[in-house]
Amino acid sequence: MLIARALPIMRVYIKPGGQRGFSGHCINLPQNVKELAMSLPRYPKDLAVIIVKAKGRENTFRDVTVRKQKVHNALVWLINNNPHYSELLINQDALNSLPENGVPPGLMTVETDDDIVSDDNCSPDVGPPTDNPSEDIVYNDSTEMSSFLPVGEQQQTEIEAVRNQLSENEPMPWPSVENEPINEYQISHLATMAFPTLFPDGKGDPTNQGLLRDVPLQERIKHLLKFAEIIDGKWVYRFANHPRFSYWAFNMIQRKQILQQSGIFLKQNPGEAHLTIDELCEMAVSNNASVFMSKVSRYVGNIAGTNAYWNRVREELKAIITSVGAPTLFFTFSSADMHWPELHALFKTDTDNELGNSTSDVRRQNVINNPHVVDWFFTQRLESFVKHWLYDTLGAKWHWFRYEYQGRGSIHCHGTAKLNNDPGLCQLTQTALKGFLAQKFKDENDCSDTTELDQDIEAGQKAADTVCQYVDWLLSTVNPNPPDEDTWIRPGVHPCQRSHDIPEHEKQSDYVDLLNMVQRHTRCSTSYCLRKKSNETELKCRFHFPFDICPKTKLEFEKIQMQRQLNS
């Protein structure tokens, strides 16, 4: 940041466990302002860095340690080798204000009484914290808007966006300290000026306007994220490892997609169906824009990540279920990213080096520094699961899934699938429920004629038996050696760290180890599963653990509370 000519403003933070996150909506918000500096380094007080300090603690900040000589050498090298820094002046006063080796004075700091999660003492294998419900929300019900983005709080920005699209104006330029407009879609080599350590000589810049081939910005960024170098026997992804570059590029790609893909929708009243494009343009540039904006929205249903996008996806899934029937099963595909040996082998040049030689800290740092590789590896495993297990083994008819990220930043997947041999579970459970209610009514009332009730009870029992038989074919809950019997010995190596080519005679014990170490919910905590309902005083596990041992599959019904919306 000290030696960058362009200063991106963004919110990047460290999540529990050490992985980074990025927040900030790129739709309907003002453009990020970037200042183009003519003299460097910057004064520390001018950096877009805010340090959060815990009161009463000795705070150290490794990420903001500065060495004055390193800054000087970097600036001299850039001036001599990078054409975009050739006319730069070195600010000696700002340079002399930097420490020889330490945290620069003048950084903005905020003190807090809250505990700060350190990435040094976090346990990455703890279940995802869910105290913040917003992390689990795919779209906001309170702002559901079908496929359109109405005018919101940033009305003036939205007005400008509509005006620009109707009048085909260029996007509004950003101010700079030179008082000359700087526009990320027009200025060349913006990435070089924002991230000089990534593009020290200006080559490979995705914002280079002089490319001979017309390569989409998204493809340019994808190429850079895959770029790797061998350093000290490990593959190092310079661009993907950078704490801000990938988020900066992602935000730019999204905003460019919005400018290119968002359309204008006119909510025409019967008396306004005659409006022409010329009349719309005239209304857009008039001073009475509020009246015009009440009739206009931007279509953003095709912009991934927006509320409108997820609402559209939800409607598509409902249409699939209506057309081909309800799904047979629901699955969750979790990521053992701290253990998979095939994943961590990708970070080494020596493929013969076993995972057992890697410490947990090394594996954890691999995951933090290379989220793009972790996500790619996860999707490859998921695609294999869908192809070989869902379709080739179980005979799936259709499937659907979506990716999510835990509180610590780890990817996982929720999905559903319909099997060809589904006996009609929805209809069968409805029949079983009808029989259950008939039996309950018969037990609680003195009925003179129970013929119809007996028929419902018999049909319900047959339906329940069919459901249980199908579930027994599909699932297994047998554990040959549960840990509660004190005969199971905990393995020295986590079963998820074993390679896939397990000898035949060890597969049974590996199956038991997986059941006892992975497929168990052994720890409840308020940061994960313990919840208290509004009408209750005790905390209870939201997964309803522990369960009583059930020797035989059975179908149970329980009451649920339905929320009713009252129309005033």
Side-chain angles (χ1 to χ4, degrees):
M1 288 186 179
L2 286 170
I3 61 175
R5 291 193 63 192
L7 183 61
I9 306 298
M10 63 184 71
R11 183 171 181 246
V12 178
Y13 55 93
I14 304 297
K15 300 174 72 67
Q19 297 191 45
R20 289 182 289 269
F22 164 74
S23 68
H25 214 304
C26 60
I27 297 178
N28 210 29
L29 290 178
Q31 298 279 8
N32 291 333
V33 176
K34 298 177 175 60
E35 297 178 346
L36 193 59
M38 292 305 297
S39 65
L40 292 173
R42 299 178 186 273
Y43 287 97
K45 64 181 179 62
D46 295 330
L47 295 181
V49 175
I50 299 178
I51 297 176
V52 181
K53 301 170 59 176
K55 291 182 179 179
R57 293 189 184 181
E58 182 180 351
N59 295 276
T60 58
F61 316 105
R62 293 172 301 172
D63 293 340
V64 290
T65 299
V66 173
R67 287 172 288 182
K68 179 168 64 176
Q69 190 60 42
K70 288 279 188 179
V71 174
H72 176 267
N73 294 343
L75 286 174
V76 171
W77 193 96
L78 287 171
I79 292 173
N80 294 331
N81 296 275
N82 193 317
H84 306 286
Y85 280 74
S86 59
E87 299 179 359
L88 191 74
L89 300 177
I90 296 181
N91 187 333
Q92 292 295 337
D93 291 337
L95 184 64
N96 292 332
S97 69
L98 300 178
E100 294 295 336
N101 185 4
V103 179
L107 289 176
M108 296 181 61
T109 59
V110 176
E111 285 194 345
T112 177
D113 293 321
D114 298 333
D115 290 335
I116 299 177
V117 179
S118 170
D119 60 335
D120 289 332
N121 51 20
C122 289
S123 175
D125 289 329
V126 176
T130 54
D131 283 338
N132 183 8
S134 63
E135 291 189 354
D136 300 325
I137 295 177
V138 179
Y139 68 94
N140 191 344
D141 286 316
S142 63
T143 59
E144 185 173 327
M145 56 192 69
S146 185
S147 294
F148 298 96
L149 181 67
V151 180
E153 296 178 355
Q154 302 292 339
Q155 181 171 351
Q156 186 60 38
T157 305
E158 185 72 11
I159 292 174
E160 293 299 330
V162 174
R163 281 176 174 169
N164 288 335
Q165 192 157 349
L166 285 174
S167 59
E168 298 184 355
N169 288 339
E170 296 295 334
M172 183 178 296
W174 292 322
S176 71
V177 295
E178 296 177 295
N179 294 323
E180 295 181 3
I182 173 174
N183 187 295
E184 67 182 26
Y185 307 117
Q186 294 177 343
I187 190 170
S188 186
H189 293 86
L190 179 60
T192 297
M193 291 183 283
F195 304 98
T197 57
L198 296 181
F199 307 95
D201 54 7
K203 297 179 180 179
D205 191 322
T207 60
N208 181 4
Q209 303 294 330
L211 291 180
L212 299 179
R213 295 178 56 193
D214 185 15
V215 181
L217 177 62
Q218 186 169 350
E219 293 301 317
R220 303 182 196 181
I221 300 299
K222 185 186 299 184
H223 175 80
L224 292 176
L225 294 180
K226 292 181 179 180
F227 176 80
E229 303 165 285
I230 299 177
I231 300 178
D232 296 332
K234 293 188 64 175
W235 289 105
V236 177
Y237 297 84
R238 181 202 311 178
F239 300 95
N241 290 359
H242 194 276
R244 297 184 308 279
F245 174 76
S246 58
Y247 302 112
W248 175 83
F250 172 71
N251 187 258
M252 180 185 292
I253 290 172
Q254 274 204 326
R255 284 186 280 113
K256 191 168 185 177
Q257 287 178 339
I258 293 167
L259 290 175
Q260 293 176 342
Q261 299 179 20
S262 61
I264 298 297
F265 171 74
L266 178 64
K267 296 173 286 189
Q268 291 182 340
N269 295 319
E272 298 172 338
H274 63 280
L275 290 174
T276 64
I277 294 297
D278 292 337
E279 290 172 330
L280 289 176
C281 293
E282 184 178 348
M283 294 175 66
V285 298
S286 66
N287 293 327
N288 193 15
S290 58
V291 177
F292 171 71
M293 289 305 301
S294 66
K295 308 175 188 298
V296 174
S297 290
R298 278 199 296 169
Y299 180 80
V300 292
N302 55 349
I303 306 298
T306 62
N307 287 351
Y309 169 84
W310 283 116
N311 188 63
R312 191 197 74 184
V313 171
R314 183 188 67 170
E315 295 302 320
E316 290 175 352
L317 179 59
K318 289 168 62 177
I320 293 175
I321 295 175
T322 302
S323 175
V324 297
T328 306
L329 55 90
F330 176 87
F331 62 86
T332 295
F333 203 77
S334 300
S335 176
D337 48 13
M338 300 294 179
H339 302 293
W340 284 329
E342 296 85 0
L343 168 63
H344 291 274
L346 298 176
F347 305 121
K348 306 173 183 177
T349 56
D350 181 10
T351 56
D352 295 330
N353 191 358
E354 294 293 334
L355 177 65
N357 297 332
S358 299
T359 64
S360 59
D361 289 338
V362 170
R363 296 195 300 271
R364 176 169 161 266
Q365 203 60 44
N366 286 339
V367 172
I368 293 174
N369 291 340
N370 303 279
H372 65 303
V373 178
V374 175
D375 288 358
W376 171 84
F377 187 81
F378 178 88
T379 57
Q380 294 299 305
R381 290 180 70 103
L382 179 62
E383 290 176 4
S384 297
F385 167 80
V386 169
K387 179 182 184 301
H388 298 293
W389 182 245
L390 278 185
Y391 282 86
D392 295 348
T393 303
L394 296 182
K397 185 177 182 179
W398 64 269
H399 77 283
W400 180 94
F401 62 82
R402 77 159 188 246
Y403 297 113
E404 294 182 358
Y405 289 84
Q406 295 174 334
R408 69 176 177 90
S410 179
I411 188 174
H412 63 281
C413 168
H414 295 302
T416 187
K418 174 80 169 182
L419 304 186
N420 283 312
N421 64 351
D422 187 322
L425 293 179
C426 287
Q427 184 60 43
L428 288 171
T429 51
Q430 290 178 4
T431 303
L433 175 59
K434 186 177 181 180
F436 169 80
L437 295 176
Q439 183 66 61
K440 184 178 180 181
F441 182 84
K442 182 179 178 180
D443 295 340
E444 296 175 353
N445 297 275
D446 185 12
C447 304
S448 57
D449 185 4
T450 62
T451 303
E452 186 175 351
L453 290 176
D454 291 338
Q455 291 176 349
D456 291 340
I457 293 172
E458 182 180 1
Q461 187 59 50
K462 289 182 179 180
D465 292 341
T466 302
V467 171
C468 293
Q469 291 172 6
Y470 184 77
V471 171
D472 286 338
W473 168 83
L474 183 62
L475 302 174
S476 172
T477 57
V478 175
N479 187 344
N481 192 4
D484 300 335
E485 297 181 0
D486 297 329
T487 58
W488 172 71
I489 300 176
R490 188 182 186 91
V493 177
H494 195 286
C496 290
Q497 293 182 13
R498 299 192 64 180
S499 179
H500 65 278
D501 52 348
I502 298 174
E504 188 67 31
H505 67 278
E506 295 183 12
K507 288 186 177 180
Q508 180 71 6
S509 61
D510 182 68
Y511 168 73
V512 172
D513 292 341
L514 284 170
L515 289 177
N516 292 339
M517 296 187 67
V518 178
Q519 299 295 331
R520 291 178 63 84
H521 183 68
T522 59
R523 179 174 53 183
C524 292
S525 67
T526 55
S527 63
Y528 183 37
C529 64
L530 291 180
R531 296 290 183 272
K532 182 174 65 175
K533 295 183 179 180
S534 57
N535 58 344
E536 297 179 353
T537 58
E538 295 183 359
L539 291 171
K540 294 182 179 179
C541 176
R542 64 189 177 106
F543 304 120
H544 308 295
F545 281 93
F547 287 96
D548 294 330
I549 295 178
C550 181
K552 184 179 179 181
T553 304
K554 61 181 179 179
L555 188 61
E556 291 186 346
F557 299 98
E558 61 181 21
K559 290 183 178 181
I560 59 173
Q561 292 183 347
M562 301 292 291
Q563 293 183 349
R564 295 182 178 180
Q565 293 183 346
L566 300 179
N567 296 325
S568 58

